[in-house]
Amino acid sequence: GAGVSQSPSNKVTEKGKDVELRCDPISGHTALYWYRQSLGQGLEFLIYFQGNSAPDKSGLPSDRFSAERTGGSVSTLTIQRTQQEDSAVYLCASSVRAPNSNQPQHFGDGTRLSIL
Amino acid sequence: GQQLNQSPQSMFIQEGEDVSMNCTSSSIFNTWLWYKQEPGEGPVLLIALYKAGELTSNGRLTAQFGITRKDSFLNISASIPSDVGIYFCAGQKETSGSRLTFGEGTQLTVNP
């Protein structure tokens, strides 16, 4: 479809393993965002990309978390040495970046990450 | 951490009733948005507000951007069972290209 696509939809892994989560934004959307949603909570900002650069990565909770974006499109969020508190739904959103123009963020369905 | 206070946390209503929920903030936002989230899915945008005092409708939904730019409310009229879900408010400092700050959500249950 034409929406934000995330994969995998579910991921179960053992504590200490590394995981990679993928986001494919809406075609033509230059801005891409990662958020984390813990059970029963609102969304918590992680990082924002404009093109391939990240002007705001202040929400990354620790140096175990990193993200990259290549070709101004697909982004990967990597969590190293996973801990149980990393269990959450990781959501990606994208929007058009247009100065002086109202451009809301549209979300994918997320990756549900469970750390055993 | 969270800067938006959303209330109520949950609502249990009968089909046909009207619903109101609101968000307040200690800081100013230049954009307010309302999203709905259903189980296993990402948030879906319902209404976006870009001007202080703006009142916008989308079908049975009406939302307003408070004139102080520190609050917003969402009303749902004549609720139906498919309105069930979690409703989130979100504030944004700029119209695009900046993070969203979310409220904790309002869980809405509609009894047929």
Side-chain angles (χ1 to χ4, degrees):
Chain A
V4 176
S5 178
Q6 292 188 246
S7 62
S9 54
N10 286 283
K11 177 72 176 178
V12 181
T13 192
E14 293 180 346
K15 176 182 170 181
K17 301 284 189 183
D18 298 351
V19 294
E20 280 192 358
L21 313 179
R22 175 188 168 108
C23 173
D24 204 337
I26 293 172
S27 178
H29 281 195
T30 55
L32 185 149
Y33 309 78
W34 284 97
Y35 294 85
R36 178 170 70 175
Q37 185 176 29
S38 299
L39 187 64
Q41 301 291 314
L43 281 71
E44 171 192 9
F45 169 80
L46 298 177
I47 187 169
Y48 153 56
F49 285 93
Q50 179 57 39
N52 292 336
S53 63
D56 186 357
K57 45 187 167 183
S58 61
L60 295 177
S62 76
D63 59 8
R64 296 186 296 105
F65 287 71
S66 63
E68 64 175 15
R69 190 178 185 196
T70 55
S73 181
V74 172
S75 175
T76 302
L77 177 69
T78 301
I79 309 173
Q80 295 178 308
R81 305 181 302 282
T82 51
Q83 304 293 312
Q84 286 185 333
E85 62 261 27
D86 298 336
S87 297
V89 177
Y90 289 81
L91 290 153
C92 176
S94 70
S95 70
V96 175
R97 170 64 166 148
N100 302 318
S101 177
N102 303 323
Q103 301 296 340
Q105 296 175 27
H106 298 274
F107 284 83
D109 287 338
T111 294
R112 183 174 301 276
L113 178 64
S114 300
I115 309 299
L116 302 179
Chain B
Q2 295 286 357
Q3 299 177 41
L4 299 186
N5 298 307
Q6 185 172 349
S7 64
Q9 283 189 321
S10 61
M11 302 183 75
F12 297 84
I13 61 170
Q14 293 298 123
E15 182 176 0
E17 290 183 357
D18 297 344
V19 169
S20 184
M21 57 193 80
N22 69 84
C23 265
T24 60
S25 169
S26 58
S27 60
I28 287 173
F29 289 98
N30 290 315
T31 299
W32 283 89
L33 305 110
W34 286 91
Y35 287 87
K36 178 187 178 186
Q37 187 176 30
E38 298 187 33
E41 299 181 3
V44 173
L45 181 67
L46 299 174
I47 292 180
L49 302 157
Y50 298 104
K51 289 183 180 179
E54 180 181 356
L55 183 71
T56 296
S57 293
N58 178 9
R60 293 178 296 105
L61 278 60
T62 301
Q64 183 155 32
F65 190 149
I67 56 173
T68 65
R69 294 191 285 162
K70 292 184 177 181
D71 63 299
S72 178
F73 71 75
L74 174 71
N75 288 340
I76 306 173
S77 64
S79 59
I80 59 178
S82 61
D83 290 334
V84 166
I86 304 176
Y87 292 78
F88 289 100
C89 62
Q92 189 175 29
K93 298 291 184 181
E94 301 171 12
T95 55
S96 63
S98 69
R99 67 171 71 185
L100 293 177
T101 300
F102 280 83
E104 297 280 355
T106 296
Q107 172 73 62
L108 178 63
T109 302
V110 181
N111 296 315

